[in-house]
Amino acid sequence: MQSEERFQRLNWLAAELLDVPVSLVGLLATDTVIFRGAVGLQVDETSRPHAFFRHTLRHEGILLVPDASQDMRFYQESLVVTPPFVRFFAGIRLLSSDGTPFAGLCVMDTEPRIFRAREKRAFEGLAMIAADMHKLYLLERQSH
């Protein structure tokens, strides 16, 4: 199974478990963010990290934004004011073995909402799986 297919399956599972239309893993590259296996968003990368992603990488734990249209950090963000009109956002950074943030698992909804405790635990577990998948991807690249 290819790496991209693994990330698509993980994002599909995140979208299903958390009942959101958008899920993606964003990997930080030099000047871009590469979206791995995105579900519900037809973009493979962006030339500059959007504010959601920047805040996710800086935030310890889960970054929860119940209604982005009402949050001063995000209300003018393109994902909020144009399709898909993001309202709810949750992001959690993925850390390398030395503790450096290198990616983020992000889910989005077009309706304002909050995460219950069960959803938070599921999201944290999915983030651990995403980090493990990335480590596997790097090992596979080294062996080829």
Side-chain angles (χ1 to χ4, degrees), residues 89-144:
F89 175 87
I92 188 167
R93 65 187 184 174
L94 309 181
L95 303 175
S96 65
S97 56
D98 68 0
T100 304
F102 68 90
L105 174 62
C106 306
V107 295
M108 302 172 214
D109 199 346
T110 57
E111 299 292 327
R113 61 182 286 190
I114 58 169
F115 261 1
R116 298 181 305 264
R118 180 193 64 76
E119 292 167 315
K120 289 177 185 177
R121 288 190 307 272
F123 193 53
E124 290 169 336
L126 289 164
M128 287 187 271
I129 293 169
D132 289 345
M133 287 172 55
H134 184 68
K135 289 174 191 166
L136 177 62
Y137 165 74
L138 293 176
L139 287 172
E140 288 173 342
R141 277 189 33 193
Q142 287 176 350
S143 68
H144 288 112

Side-chain angles (χ1 to χ4, degrees), residues 19-36:
D19 194 26
V20 294
V22 177
S23 178
L24 57 90
V25 174
L27 297 174
L28 188 59
T30 305
D31 293 324
T32 62
V33 176
I34 300 166
F35 300 127
R36 303 295 310 271

